[in-house]
Amino acid sequence: MAQAWHSGLCISALAENIAAGQVNVTDVINSWLNSGGHCRNIMASGMQSLGAGMARNNGTATYSTYWTMVAGTPFGPRVPIQS
């Protein structure tokens, strides 16, 4: 979730779902919808922005496919602190 901060947004609400091993989008969404906490993150009415991604690993990781979803509600642009 640090990526949301580094993208330049101040976040008033933030939710993240992570999954591993599902082979397609339908399977991962169904897994999240069947999990109470993950489903709440997807269905949260206040979220205004959503990003999702998938990564494949052909190496020695436990799973070959990893999924993530981040939803958030920004306050607005982050203002850099000047020293």
Side-chain angles (χ1 to χ4, degrees):
M1 292 197 291
Q3 293 88 342
W5 170 256
H6 291 296
S7 71
L9 294 175
C10 288
I11 304 298
S12 65
L14 192 61
E16 180 180 55
N17 286 352
I18 298 173
Q22 293 83 353
V23 296
N24 59 51
V25 172
T26 300
D27 288 348
V28 76
I29 295 295
N30 283 336
S31 292
W32 285 337
L33 291 176
N34 288 315
S35 166
H38 293 106
C39 185
R40 280 189 296 279
N41 288 344
I42 292 171
M43 300 298 181
S45 63
M47 300 300 180
Q48 297 175 0
S49 301
L50 182 129
M54 183 269 291
R56 292 196 189 278
N57 181 1
N58 296 323
T60 59
T62 302
Y63 299 101
S64 62
T65 309
Y66 292 84
W67 305 84
T68 187
M69 179 210 84
V70 177
T73 301
F75 279 126
R78 179 167 46 96
V79 177
I81 298 173
Q82 297 180 3
S83 52

